[in-house]
Amino acid sequence: MKKTHKKILGFAGLGLVAAVTTVAAVLPPPTALATNTQTDTLMVRVIPAESDIQVNPADGGEIHYPDYDLDVLYSGVTDIKAVLVNKDDDGNIIFGPVEIWHIDADWDPGSQHFDLNLDSYGGYGNFTITVTGLGHGGVPVEKTGVVKYTKEGGKEIDGGEIDANPDTGDADVPVDVPSEGVGSVIFNVYDDGGTLVMGPINIPHPSSAEEIDFSGLPDGEYDGEIISKDRDGDVIGTKYIKIVVDKDSTGENVYVEVAPHGTTIKKATIKIKDRDGNIIAQKDFDDPVAGTDMTIELAGSVPAGSDYTISTEYYDEGGNLVDTITEPLVKIGADGHGNINIDTEIDTIKTIIADVYDENGKLVREAVADRETGTVKVYDGDGNLIETIPNGYSDAGGINVPFAGLPYGTYTVKVSYWNQHNKPVGNIYVYTVHWYGNVPVPDTGGLFQGLNISREDYLITGLVVFMIIGVVAFGIVARNRRNRK
């Protein structure tokens, strides 16, 4: 082979090597290709022909959080019911037995999913959920599921991934504020002079509606006090309701004390509404004086019930609505009994804490949010205050956690919730936060200053250069060859 041919082949081979190298560099890895592959999965569940009930899980073990999922599968049975009972370690009943599900399956196969909040069934204890049905030939079928709910710890839930702002280092970590289960309630009744006339009535493990006997009280208007406690006996909330006892159905007066305001109140309007929001009584009061009583009559024709509300609207001299105060209202009828609506779960969260851990699991920062004021105080891993962020928290926006000053990397943030007694409530949400500031752009000279050149850009540029050199070299060799001829 002549020398000229060798040069041409050499340049061509050099260009080919550069092209192959570039293609190999920019091709995605096999795992990336596999990610785009779609696979259809067909799941088939075979239902046995004989009568059968399955409870999953049959043994839920020990849990430390109130949320509990249970699935029931059934076939060839009818008249299916699930009964729940909660007992303490000594076998004493805490709550129940209570029927939580009952259907006529008509022998057809099916399933039922239960998303239970165990705080609504007495809280901590040993739960047994018994599912029974009537099988073929009238043979009963029974399966049970058991779980122990204890007070230690909280469940960690994956909250997802977050990117910290590359310019400021701030990360807005979302929140999911939980409610705290009510362990017991104290119910008191006071007359219009503030004297205790009934109670205290202790209601352990209350349901959402508790029947109370008011038959010993004369007709009239009273104030009810509902004191809610947690399972340790600490008070976590107090609620007041209006109670009207009208056993003779002649109608009774309801008294509302004028609340003080920082501006002149020109008019107050009292509205009594039923459960659907319909106004059943209304009365206006001009120039109400703070501390005095306003009176409105609840007609005797209004049925007894516990789903009424009494709202007082306050207006200033310009007719603008200044404030609205709403209270529950219960009317007791001829039998002297009535249901008191009780909140079995209460929003008690006062403090929200976001603990930041590095890749080695070391606590490196802590953000503590005061939910009432919205102020966030930031501490280092040793507990030293390093920053205070006014308005750094809101229920909608979450908690502001600053990462500036920490090395770039991936961090774990655990968000926990605490009540007024500094007790943890609900689950712990775990987030993965990526903190990487703006990467410096390479200096590409005055002409291309600010141009960000990636790995692929370098390789492609190299390929173009190789191709240009190859073409030029080929042209030079060919011209020299013609000249020699």
Side-chain angles (χ1 to χ4, degrees), residues 49-102:
E50 67 273 10
S51 301
D52 184 45
I53 294 177
Q54 300 177 33
V55 177
N56 183 35
D59 184 359
E62 183 175 299
I63 62 175
H64 310 297
Y65 44 89
D67 302 324
Y68 188 68
D69 294 333
L70 188 77
D71 289 289
V72 176
L73 281 71
Y74 55 87
S75 63
V77 290
T78 189
D79 193 29
I80 309 173
K81 65 177 65 176
V83 176
L84 177 148
V85 64
N86 181 11
K87 298 181 180 180
D88 62 21
D89 291 336
D90 297 325
N92 301 310
I93 293 179
I94 297 175
F95 188 94
V98 59
E99 186 177 278
I100 60 174
W101 179 51
H102 192 175

Side-chain angles (χ1 to χ4, degrees), residues 187-269:
F187 181 62
N188 298 313
V189 179
Y190 301 88
D191 63 16
D192 57 1
T195 302
L196 180 67
V197 295
M198 194 171 80
I201 300 173
N202 183 40
I203 307 174
H205 314 299
S207 61
S208 57
E210 291 286 340
E211 183 176 338
I212 305 293
D213 182 4
F214 296 93
S215 58
L217 295 180
D219 286 4
E221 187 260 350
Y222 301 87
D223 291 317
E225 180 184 46
I226 302 173
I227 303 174
S228 300
K229 299 182 178 182
D230 63 17
R231 283 175 289 275
D232 296 326
D234 293 323
V235 175
I236 56 176
T238 303
K239 176 181 176 181
Y240 296 94
I241 62 175
K242 292 287 187 183
I243 302 171
V244 174
V245 179
D246 188 15
K247 297 191 291 290
D248 59 10
S249 298
T250 59
E252 294 294 334
N253 289 331
V254 180
Y255 299 91
V256 178
E257 183 176 327
V258 178
H261 293 82
T263 186
T264 301
I265 299 300
K266 189 63 177 178
K267 185 181 76 171
T269 299

